Amino acid sequence: CRFETCWPALMKDSHGVVIVFNPELPGHLKEIETWYSCFVQQQRLLDSQCLLIAHHKPGSVGHTEDLSLAYPLNKLKLVHSNLEEDAEDVRMEFIKYFRSIITFINESREKEEMSIIS
């Protein structure tokens, strides 16, 4: 929120949003609702264009794997990350997400080109 004046520049022409948060900090759960509203809903992005990453700091002992998020965040893809234990899993999830964004962009471009031709 400290850089809220920069948000319009970050949002311009965006095709996807990755929100990383610490699930062990209750304030972060409220903040991601704001980020979702501003970066996803106000930009009219689809939920499939958003990825939530609940990042667990090294040595954290909290059991947040069963993290329950409020609507509409509970509809989003949620990945738990702990780079000490499962860095490769996080990388693979991000690659899948990134590929889905590329596919979405290509399909949108094709639709736009077809509408121009028609």
Side-chain angles (χ1 to χ4, degrees):
C1 293
R2 293 175 291 215
F3 304 105
E4 199 168 333
T5 57
C6 299
W7 288 5
L10 294 172
M11 291 186 271
K12 184 176 179 352
D13 299 328
S14 64
H15 295 284
V17 175
V18 177
I19 299 173
V20 181
F21 67 101
N22 183 342
E24 296 167 16
L25 296 177
H28 276 202
L29 298 179
K30 190 66 179 161
E31 284 182 38
I32 61 175
E33 291 176 16
T34 300
W35 297 336
Y36 176 79
S37 173
C38 292
F39 284 89
V40 179
Q41 290 179 321
Q42 290 180 19
Q43 299 305 304
R44 301 184 190 274
L45 296 178
L46 301 173
D47 287 341
S48 61
Q49 292 172 272
C50 183
L51 175 65
L52 291 179
I53 299 179
H55 182 67
H56 303 271
K57 291 184 176 184
S60 63
V61 292
H63 297 287
T64 53
E65 291 292 323
D66 59 346
L67 180 67
S68 61
L69 299 171
Y71 180 85
L73 298 174
N74 62 355
K75 302 182 306 174
L76 304 176
K77 172 73 174 172
L78 173 63
V79 175
H80 289 270
S81 73
N82 182 327
L83 299 181
E84 286 185 337
E85 296 176 15
D86 60 359
E88 186 61 22
D89 291 345
V90 174
R91 187 173 85 74
M92 293 308 295
E93 286 293 337
F94 183 78
I95 288 171
K96 284 194 306 191
Y97 165 74
F98 192 68
R99 284 183 179 150
S100 73
I101 296 298
I102 291 171
T103 299
F104 178 80
I105 292 169
N106 288 337
E107 288 173 355
S108 296
R109 187 174 296 139
E110 286 177 18
K111 286 179 187 175
E112 184 178 339
E113 289 172 357
M114 291 305 290
S115 70
I116 293 170
I117 293 172
S118 301

